[in-house]
Amino acid sequence: TFFGDLQRYPMVLSNYPPVYPLLNVPGFQLFGPSLFQPRLLSLLATLALAAFLFALLRRRTGNASMAASFALLFFAPWFVQTWAATARIDMLAQMLSMAGLYAFDRLGAREGFRRHVPFWLFGLGFYTRQTTLVAPAAALGSLLLEPPRRRDFPRALAAFGGPVLGVLLAMTVATRGQAW
């Protein structure tokens, strides 16, 4: 049965990390159990993902028409067309990853609070879907491969790993190990 007890593995009724369900709470509170808000959130995340993709490509290429062409190609695969309107967590997780990549590219090696924004977005992406690790790995890897930016790696790793591990620890303690 789907509704197993919480004393045995997997000890939870869902495999969704907390970001997507928490974003849907206001809609459920206002309108009751409906798929309207989760589907709307998925659709808006898909559109925002394409917008971040366009912005990143335009920034990297300097060519708006080419960036728009590639951003529109994002909608070609069947799974994007299907998942965009079916209340899936994937589109929100990928949008957060793309927003993190855009912020990482745009902010570069700036000092202060803003340089951590990409890694906080990657952390939100992780807590939307646990497999969303390619973008933070790419950003952290680029810091290691660029000698002038290598000194930023420990702070960037802490900006990503600190909140991710801290939230996981807090959830594990709060659920007596079930979140783990």
Side-chain angles (χ1 to χ4, degrees), residues 1-64:
T1 176
F2 176 76
F3 299 102
D5 66 51
L6 297 179
Q7 303 304 315
R8 296 177 297 189
Y9 183 82
M11 298 175 277
V12 293
L13 299 177
S14 173
N15 63 350
Y16 290 121
V19 173
Y20 191 78
L22 286 174
L23 289 175
N24 283 294
V25 166
F28 288 128
Q29 294 293 326
L30 290 171
F31 308 114
S34 165
L35 286 175
F36 176 74
Q37 184 184 348
R39 287 180 174 175
L40 180 62
L41 179 61
S42 185
L43 180 64
L44 293 175
T46 304
L47 295 173
L49 194 162
F52 281 117
L53 179 60
F54 168 76
L56 180 63
L57 291 171
R58 186 180 67 187
R59 179 172 167 71
R60 288 307 220 149
T61 65
N63 187 331

Side-chain angles (χ1 to χ4, degrees), residues 111-125:
E111 294 296 321
F113 170 79
R114 292 191 308 180
R115 78 167 159 217
H116 298 303
V117 169
F119 297 98
W120 295 336
L121 288 167
F122 294 147
L124 284 172

Side-chain angles (χ1 to χ4, degrees), residues 87-158:
R88 293 204 36 135
I89 64 171
D90 305 86
M91 303 319 286
L92 179 63
Q94 296 305 317
M95 185 275 296
L96 290 166
S97 290
M98 185 59 65
L101 287 173
Y102 175 71
F104 181 77
D105 187 63
R106 187 166 181 262
L107 295 175
R110 292 192 184 180
E111 294 296 321
F113 170 79
R114 292 191 308 180
R115 78 167 159 217
H116 298 303
V117 169
F119 297 98
W120 295 336
L121 288 167
F122 294 147
L124 284 172
F126 175 80
Y127 277 110
T128 304
R129 182 154 184 96
Q130 304 97 322
T131 57
T132 311
L133 292 172
V134 173
L140 290 168
S142 76
L143 290 176
L144 281 176
L145 294 174
E146 296 177 28
R149 297 182 71 195
R150 199 170 286 154
R151 63 179 170 76
D152 294 329
F153 177 79
R155 287 188 297 245
L157 182 61

Side-chain angles (χ1 to χ4, degrees), residues 65-90:
S65 59
M66 185 170 69
S69 298
F70 277 103
L72 288 173
L73 278 175
F74 168 73
F75 294 103
W78 67 267
F79 58 86
V80 173
Q81 296 170 23
T82 304
W83 293 354
T86 55
R88 293 204 36 135
I89 64 171
D90 305 86

